[in-house]
């Protein structure tokens, strides 16, 4: 692991260390410091350089992404107060669409239902609103993926026993355009 979050290419590698002490420390392969920005789908060569006891991770841009929307092989989860912020509610790909995911959440154990969307069980890839508890069930702004303060959540605004269907759509193209849409609706109530 590096010694800072979102470390750039060439940053020293440290460790091994206990996971609890370095969970937030990772490299960010995003083109900072490069001649041109890296877009999703770009091919990058990663290298671990070792010189005696000194280690560093670096990368170089090999090829640009292919035209057209990129296939997302990530897994998305609805994490919230109703599941103790765990990865138990995976959003599944909707049949016939490689960009739309949905999950059924509930029954809610109590009223409310604050939540975020997390990719690949990695809190550094959290999708969230710009402010806490955006009103309505179709937020206009979906930010991320990023490290997100836990207080930036959407709210299902449900009652105890309510069941919701959450839908998340994400489409990334090689130009860097990252479209994200989120919606939810109550689909029933269980006791």
């Amino acid at each position: 692991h590096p010694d800072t979050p979102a470390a750039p290419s060439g940053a020293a590698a440290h460790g091994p260390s206990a996971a609890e002490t370095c969970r937030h420390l990772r490299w960010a392969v995003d083109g900072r410091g490069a001649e041109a920005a890296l877009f999703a789908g770009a091919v990058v060569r990663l290298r671990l350089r070792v010189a005696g006891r000194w280690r560093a991770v670096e990368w170089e841009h090999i090829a640009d992404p292919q035209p057209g929307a990129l296939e997302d092989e990530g897994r998305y989860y609805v994490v919230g107060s109703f599941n103790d912020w765990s990865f138990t509610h995976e959003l599944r790909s909707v049949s016939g669409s490689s960009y739309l995911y949905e999950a059924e959440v509930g029954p809610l154990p109590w009223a409310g239902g604050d939540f975020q969307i997390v990719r690949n069980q990695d809190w550094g890839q959290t999708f969230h609103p710009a402010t806490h508890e955006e009103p309505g069930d179709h937020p206009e702004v979906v930010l991320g993926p990023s490290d997100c303060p836990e207080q930036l959540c959407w709210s299902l605004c449900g009652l105890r026993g309510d069941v919701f269907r959450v839908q998340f759509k994400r489409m990334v193209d090689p130009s860097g355009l990252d479209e994200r849409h989120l919606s939810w609706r109550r689909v029933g109530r269980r006791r």
Side-chain angles (χ1 to χ4, degrees):
H1 62 84
D3 60 357
T4 60
S9 178
H14 302 275
S17 302
E20 311 81 57
T21 63
C22 60
R23 183 177 334 188
H24 66 288
L25 302 173
R26 65 194 82 169
W27 286 271
V29 181
D30 62 3
R32 288 175 295 159
E35 292 178 20
L38 294 175
F39 294 113
V43 177
V44 177
R45 177 178 292 130
L46 296 171
R47 286 194 178 108
L48 171 63
R49 299 276 188 187
V50 179
R53 65 183 188 125
W54 305 104
R55 296 168 292 182
V57 172
E58 60 187 32
W59 52 86
E60 65 178 308
H61 178 226
I62 301 297
D64 288 323
Q66 298 297 317
L70 300 171
E71 187 70 31
D72 185 355
E73 296 177 10
R75 296 171 72 174
Y76 295 90
Y77 298 83
V78 181
V79 295
S81 58
F82 44 82
N83 64 11
D84 201 26
W85 300 95
S86 67
F87 299 105
T88 56
H89 291 92
E90 183 174 355
L91 289 146
R92 302 288 182 180
S93 182
V94 173
S95 180
S97 173
S98 56
Y99 310 110
L100 181 62
Y101 307 86
E102 71 179 15
E104 192 169 280
V105 174
L108 297 183
W110 50 76
D114 287 357
F115 73 99
Q116 297 172 328
I117 304 294
V118 178
R119 184 175 186 269
N120 292 339
Q121 298 186 14
D122 176 359
W123 292 103
Q125 297 186 60
T126 301
F127 295 86
H128 55 87
T131 61
H132 182 67
E133 294 189 56
E134 267 189 38
D137 56 3
H138 297 344
E140 291 186 23
V141 177
V142 178
L143 300 178
S146 63
D147 285 316
C148 173
E150 58 191 48
Q151 67 269 19
L152 293 180
C153 305
W154 293 286
S155 179
L156 296 171
C157 297
L159 300 174
R160 183 173 185 237
D162 282 352
V163 178
F164 289 84
R165 177 163 294 120
V166 177
Q167 288 192 326
F168 179 63
K169 181 178 182 180
R170 183 174 188 213
M171 190 167 63
V172 180
D173 71 25
S175 73
L177 179 65
D178 188 349
E179 288 186 50
R180 301 166 301 263
H181 303 280
L182 178 69
S183 65
W184 60 90
R185 64 183 171 91
R186 191 170 77 86
V187 295
R189 175 172 281 173
R190 295 185 204 139
R191 295 274 171 182

